[in-house]
């Protein structure tokens, strides 16, 4: 029984880990190709191409068609997004487990940390500055994950993965679009999730967004 319980906990943690990657991928403009709690089959792996890549053994995403040279603004944004994408899986898993999201905790997820570290290397060559940058992004990521709107996205994705074990990119997109439409209906203004800034480092700005989220959740629908 203990083994079964432990296995169930590992699977649940993995589901949240995968969901973190998936939702940040959608936010950053990397469409999901396929999610799989138990890893990819040979048939699944046949999807891999220059456009379709594995983020890890459970998450497959579509890469941008255009490639930008290092040092250009689009390349910098791409590296920022890849960094956030790599961190989002362990951040959501740790958040779900009730553990603090710290650099040392993220480092336990070696593959994710290595991806984030490599991407951040294009932004900060100095290793001390790079660690400080990643520390800020981890803290901000944890705070964003706690926003009510993000929880509305997380729930349907985790439930789907828990029930089915796999999830096609089209299913993730459908949830994304549905929740986005609901947010727009409540707030009566467009919501562009792919342009939400993940890296607000101003506590006042972040608090304003938190208050706006709360207002949208509490505001009654107008018939």
């Amino acid at each position: 029984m203990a083994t079964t319980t432990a296995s169930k906990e590992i699977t649940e943690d993995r589901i949240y880990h995968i969901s973190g990657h998936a939702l940040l991928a959608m936010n950053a403009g990397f469409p999901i190709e396929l999610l799989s709690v138990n890893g990819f089959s040979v048939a699944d792996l046949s999807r891999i191409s220059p456009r379709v890549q594995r983020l890890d053994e459970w998450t497959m995403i579509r890469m941008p068609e255009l490639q930008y040279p290092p040092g250009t603004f689009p390349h910098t944004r791409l590296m920022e997004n890849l960094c956030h994408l790599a961190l989002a899986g362990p951040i959501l898993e740790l958040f779900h487990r009730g553990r603090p999201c710290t650099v040392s905790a993220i480092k336990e997820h070696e593959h994710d940390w290595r991806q984030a570290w490599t991407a951040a290397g294009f932004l900060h060559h100095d290793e001390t500055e790079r660690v400080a940058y990643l520390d800020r992004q981890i803290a901000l990521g944890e705070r964003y994950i706690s926003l009510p709107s993000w929880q509305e996205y997380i729930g349907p994705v985790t439930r789907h993965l828990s029930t089915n074990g796999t999830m096609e990119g089209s299913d993730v997109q459908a949830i994304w679009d549905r929740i986005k439409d609901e947010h727009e209906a409540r707030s009566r203004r467009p919501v562009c999730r792919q342009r939400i800034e993940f890296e607000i480092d101003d506590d006042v700005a972040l608090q304003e967004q938190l208050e706006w989220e709360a207002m949208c959740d509490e505001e009654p629908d107008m018939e």
Side-chain angles (χ1 to χ4, degrees):
M1 180 64 69
T3 301
T4 302
T5 301
S7 177
K8 182 178 179 181
E9 289 177 353
I10 290 170
T11 300
E12 186 173 293
D13 291 343
R14 184 180 300 165
I15 285 171
Y16 277 87
H17 188 115
I18 295 168
S19 299
H21 283 316
L23 293 174
L24 224 299
M26 297 295 293
N27 184 64
F30 296 95
I32 294 298
E33 175 69 21
L34 181 66
L35 307 175
S36 179
V37 175
N38 296 313
F40 298 119
S41 67
V42 173
D44 294 335
L45 294 175
S46 68
R47 302 189 190 194
I48 291 178
S49 68
R51 283 291 317 281
V52 177
Q53 297 289 319
R54 279 195 305 174
L55 182 67
D56 57 24
E57 57 188 301
W58 312 295
T59 310
M60 201 178 291
I61 62 174
R62 296 181 208 157
M63 299 296 292
E65 290 188 44
L66 298 176
Q67 298 297 318
Y68 305 101
T72 62
F73 177 75
H75 184 269
T76 298
R77 289 294 289 173
L78 179 64
M79 292 302 104
E80 288 174 346
N81 287 334
L82 285 173
C83 180
H84 300 155
L85 177 53
L87 294 173
I91 286 174
L92 184 54
E93 179 182 338
L94 290 166
F95 184 83
H96 168 67
R97 293 166 63 187
R99 289 187 56 192
C101 293
T102 62
V103 167
S104 59
I106 298 294
K107 281 184 175 180
E108 294 174 13
H109 302 266
E110 295 181 9
H111 182 77
D112 299 297
W113 175 257
R114 186 166 60 251
Q115 287 186 325
W117 181 260
T118 300
F122 288 94
L123 311 173
H124 298 280
H125 298 297
D126 180 83
E127 293 193 358
T128 301
E129 292 180 1
R130 199 184 315 180
V131 171
Y133 169 78
L134 290 170
D135 185 45
R136 290 196 303 273
Q137 303 316 304
I138 291 166
L140 290 166
E142 182 180 23
R143 293 165 76 180
Y144 266 106
I145 288 296
S146 69
L147 289 172
S149 62
W150 283 107
Q151 292 298 314
E152 290 181 40
Y153 286 101
I154 292 164
V157 174
T158 56
R159 286 193 293 273
H160 185 108
L161 286 171
S162 181
T163 301
N164 301 284
T166 62
M167 193 170 189
E168 291 286 344
S170 58
D171 294 322
V172 181
Q173 185 68 56
I175 289 173
W176 184 266
D177 292 340
R178 176 175 61 80
I179 301 297
K180 177 174 175 287
D181 289 345
E182 291 173 0
H183 287 176
E184 289 180 343
R186 285 205 304 268
S187 62
R188 296 191 296 279
R189 75 179 193 182
V191 174
C192 186
R193 286 289 170 211
Q194 288 190 357
R195 290 295 176 266
I196 287 180
E197 290 296 331
F198 183 67
E199 52 184 18
I200 294 176
D201 54 7
D202 182 340
D203 285 342
V204 174
L206 183 56
Q207 184 60 37
E208 287 176 352
Q209 179 158 348
L210 286 164
E211 291 173 356
W212 182 80
E213 296 273 6
M215 179 187 69
C216 290
D217 288 338
E218 294 172 2
E219 190 172 3
D221 292 335
M222 302 296 290
E223 297 294 339

